[in-house]
Amino acid sequence: MDHSTLDQLLNEGLEAITQSESLKSLYDVKVKIIGKNGLLSEAMKAMGKLPKEEKPAFGKKANEVKQAFEKAYEEREEALRQKELHERLSEEEIDVTLPGKTQFMGGRHPVGLVIQESVAALNRLGFSVQTGPQIEEDWYNFEALNIPPDHPSRDMQDTFYVDDTHVLRTHTSPIQIRSMLKSKPPLRIMAPGSVFRCDSDVTHSPNFHQIEGLLVDRKVSMAHLKATISFVLKELFRSKVEVRFRPSFFPFTEPSAEFDCSCPMCSGKGCRVCKQTGWIEIGGCGLVNPKVLEACEIDSKEWQGFAFGFGIERMAMIKYGIGDIRLFNENDLRFLRQFQK
Ligand code: FA5
């Protein structure tokens, strides 16, 4: 073992560094030459057998070899890093002329749009939004609304019962009761919300939405009710629509009516949407039954009220010409994107 062995080792190392074409192979060279069990370490071990006076010079030389190797290694490492970076960047080059990926913006659900527009219209008339629980007490959903125990809507066929005294609310009308118990008249409230019935076909869903309107004041008449409904429907359809009342029955209103509007699709001439009748059924309404006012501790001699409720999905189907109510719950983006503004 002498100095020329170390020189040879350095030359071999430098040669191997120059020939390394990747960081990985360069690292392998480092391990082979100056690693813990590398050739330089072997040479240093052999130093032990040298005569004492030769050891310092050999050690110094070995250090110089190591430093020279490390310097060359670092330079090559930096060069290879730059090369790899350059190669990666040129592979990743962006062709700005390629067509981009379409970015879809989220939009409102058609049911949400109709709720939003109904709320805005009623807001303009001074109605404010009230809410109530979806799991409702029997008393609010039926009893206080003058719906007797033997009324067909209480049938298990129509109502989802949670237990003996709780149901999934079948309409938004219980919010009338909650509002009248909470605030003294005069009052004007609206209540948009999710409701539930055992019902399912192309125009009926087990979970749909209604919006309720309630006004309690002095000298309230059917004329006020009709004017309010007409205003809301005109706002919703953004067209001149006629409103007609047909006598009907709801235990919580007296007199009661169902209200229709002239078909906004054909302006009342008759088309597929209105089944050639020129009219479309929208919801139920009437003057608040005095029994309901009394259940809410409101003096029915002094105060009268009107109330109405309509189905949001039904409204959206008419407004947007949708033939199947189930489309609202399928989350099919091809359907939903049609309502983006
Ligand atoms: C009621 O629910 C009454 N609470 C409305 C009311 C309020 C009357 C205030 C008087 C005073 P009805 O069961 O008719 O009424 O339902 C009202 C509307 O909800 C219907 O006209 C229809 O548009 C919608 N609707 C009813 N059942 C379903 C269903 N399964 N799926 C979708 N919409 C429905």
Side-chain angles (χ1 to χ4, degrees):
M1 175 67 58
D2 56 20
H3 288 206
S4 65
T5 320
L6 288 175
D7 283 334
Q8 198 186 332
L9 190 60
L10 179 60
N11 287 340
E12 273 174 28
L14 295 178
E15 176 70 17
I17 283 176
T18 321
Q19 279 170 13
S20 296
E21 286 302 327
S22 69
L23 287 167
K24 164 89 178 65
S25 61
L26 181 67
Y27 184 73
D28 290 343
V29 172
K30 184 180 181 180
V31 172
K32 187 178 161 205
I33 306 290
I34 59 166
K36 220 167 107 199
N37 299 316
L39 296 175
L40 189 64
S41 303
E42 293 297 315
M44 296 296 278
K45 277 181 211 155
M47 189 171 79
K49 292 181 191 135
L50 286 176
K52 202 175 161 202
E53 60 281 7
E54 284 179 24
K55 280 184 186 171
F58 187 86
K60 187 167 174 263
K61 177 77 183 168
N63 250 341
E64 284 166 8
V65 166
K66 190 172 181 217
Q67 278 166 10
F69 179 86
E70 278 173 342
K71 185 164 175 284
Y73 177 86
E74 277 162 20
E75 280 167 12
R76 183 70 184 149
E77 187 185 36
E78 181 55 26
L80 285 176
R81 256 191 226 293
Q82 290 299 330
K83 188 171 151 243
E84 285 188 9
L85 180 69
H86 183 74
E87 278 167 9
R88 216 177 64 226
L89 287 179
S90 56
E91 269 169 30
E92 286 174 2
E93 208 171 29
I94 298 168
D95 182 352
V96 289
T97 62
L98 286 175
K101 278 190 194 157
T102 314
Q103 297 278 333
F104 289 106
M105 289 288 286
R108 276 190 178 266
H109 192 278
V111 168
L113 285 173
V114 173
I115 293 178
Q116 190 183 33
E117 288 176 13
S118 311
V119 168
L122 281 164
N123 236 319
R124 288 179 61 191
L125 300 179
F127 289 73
S128 61
V129 173
Q130 296 290 316
T131 55
Q134 293 182 8
I135 297 176
E136 185 55 282
E137 288 174 38
D138 187 284
W139 189 81
Y140 289 100
N141 197 81
F142 294 129
E143 194 93 21
L145 286 162
N146 192 35
I147 301 177
D150 54 357
H151 193 273
S153 68
R154 286 195 175 215
D155 199 299
M156 297 285 278
Q157 303 282 317
D158 297 309
T159 305
F160 292 109
Y161 279 86
V162 176
D163 58 33
D164 286 349
T165 53
H166 291 86
V167 298
L168 294 186
R169 68 179 178 204
T170 56
H171 49 176
T172 42
S173 299
I175 303 169
Q176 287 187 32
I177 305 297
R178 289 185 173 273
S179 304
M180 285 190 276
L181 285 173
K182 202 168 73 182
S183 316
K184 294 273 154 268
L187 55 100
R188 292 177 197 197
I189 64 104
M190 59 177 139
S194 203
V195 301
F196 308 85
R197 291 184 195 176
C198 299
D199 216 352
S200 185
D201 59 38
V202 283
T203 53
H204 293 86
S205 165
N207 175 204
F208 60 103
H209 297 78
Q210 287 185 335
I211 186 161
E212 193 85 5
L214 167 74
L215 178 146
V216 183
D217 212 322
R218 294 188 173 91
K219 297 192 179 126
V220 176
S221 73
M222 288 295 269
H224 297 125
L225 172 61
K226 199 170 178 190
T228 305
I229 290 173
S230 300
F231 176 78
V232 173
L233 296 183
K234 273 178 196 139
E235 290 283 295
L236 270 174
F237 293 122
R238 294 197 194 101
S239 67
K240 254 184 135 217
V241 284
E242 296 294 317
V243 174
R244 78 173 182 191
F245 281 9
R246 282 176 292 106
S248 185
F249 174 76
F250 295 100
F252 38 97
T253 45
E254 182 58 41
S256 300
E258 272 179 292
F259 59 98
D260 304 339
C261 77
S262 55
C263 179
M265 297 293 162
C266 61
S267 308
K269 290 187 198 77
C271 68
R272 191 183 56 86
V273 175
C274 60
K275 300 192 185 96
Q276 310 304 332
T277 63
W279 292 94
I280 293 178
E281 186 188 318
I282 303 284
C285 64
L287 295 185
V288 181
N289 191 323
K291 285 186 190 165
V292 175
L293 292 173
E294 298 298 338
C296 298
E297 290 159 10
I298 293 174
D299 182 356
S300 61
K301 292 198 181 65
E302 188 183 351
W303 302 98
Q304 299 84 47
F306 70 63
F308 61 89
F310 60 82
I312 300 288
E313 280 79 355
R314 185 72 48 88
M315 187 67 83
M317 288 171 83
I318 301 161
K319 188 170 157 83
Y320 301 115
I322 296 161
D324 189 335
I325 199 168
R326 289 167 291 204
L327 283 164
F328 290 124
N329 289 328
E330 279 174 3
N331 286 334
D332 185 334
L333 290 178
R334 290 166 304 176
F335 170 73
L336 295 174
R337 279 189 188 129
Q338 296 174 51
F339 305 98
Q340 280 173 351
K341 288 201 171 151

